[in-house]
Amino acid sequence: MGVLVDYFAASSVELDRVDLSAGPAGIGWPYVDCKGWIDGLAGRVAELTGRDPSEFGDDVVISAEADGPWLTRVRPEVALALASASDERLAEYAEDELLDEHEADRYVQLRDLARSAAADGRDLYCWSSV
């Protein structure tokens, strides 16, 4: 068993209306499966964009029950930086980091999710559970 980590987009109103105990997959929301990514998105986006991780700060904790699941809101600065990544930069990053096809596609999916969230006025969230 590992750490389940899913990123998804939602408005605060949408979050208030659903029980996220089963995660975005359990309620049928679009999400990006990032199982095992326990170190968060900000550091990865900092590497991708060549920025210092301290520019982004920490995710905002929404729910932190002792036994999980846990929910955090990704800082808007992180989502914006991710959304601005070009296809070329994502491909270059995947090559530099020796990412396999699945991992490289995960970054594209996250970038597309960040773009969609921005266009729809939603925030990015990270849901995790063990």
Side-chain angles (χ1 to χ4, degrees), residues 38-58:
I38 58 174
D39 57 347
L41 191 57
R44 293 169 187 272
V45 171
E47 287 177 356
L48 174 66
T49 60
R51 295 171 64 179
D52 189 298
S54 66
E55 292 181 47
F56 295 128
D58 295 325

Side-chain angles (χ1 to χ4, degrees), residues 36-108:
W37 279 21
I38 58 174
D39 57 347
L41 191 57
R44 293 169 187 272
V45 171
E47 287 177 356
L48 174 66
T49 60
R51 295 171 64 179
D52 189 298
S54 66
E55 292 181 47
F56 295 128
D58 295 325
D59 291 344
V60 178
V61 176
I62 303 297
S63 173
E65 298 297 321
D67 297 329
W70 304 277
L71 183 67
T72 57
R73 182 175 56 84
V74 175
R75 291 249 182 226
E77 298 85 1
V78 174
L80 180 62
L82 178 58
S84 68
S86 68
D87 287 337
E88 293 79 16
R89 177 60 191 131
L90 289 172
E92 179 182 83
Y93 180 76
E95 185 175 316
D96 290 347
E97 296 298 316
L98 304 173
L99 301 179
D100 65 28
E101 187 176 331
H102 173 74
E103 281 292 311
D105 186 53
R106 188 180 289 184
Y107 278 91
V108 172

Side-chain angles (χ1 to χ4, degrees), residues 8-15 17 29-30 73-80 83 112-125:
F8 67 98
S11 69
S12 58
V13 171
E14 289 169 323
L15 282 179
R17 292 183 182 165
W29 282 2
R73 182 175 56 84
V74 175
R75 291 249 182 226
E77 298 85 1
V78 174
L80 180 62
D112 292 349
L113 181 66
R115 286 180 176 177
S116 174
D120 295 339
R122 293 184 165 120
D123 291 312
L124 282 185
Y125 290 90

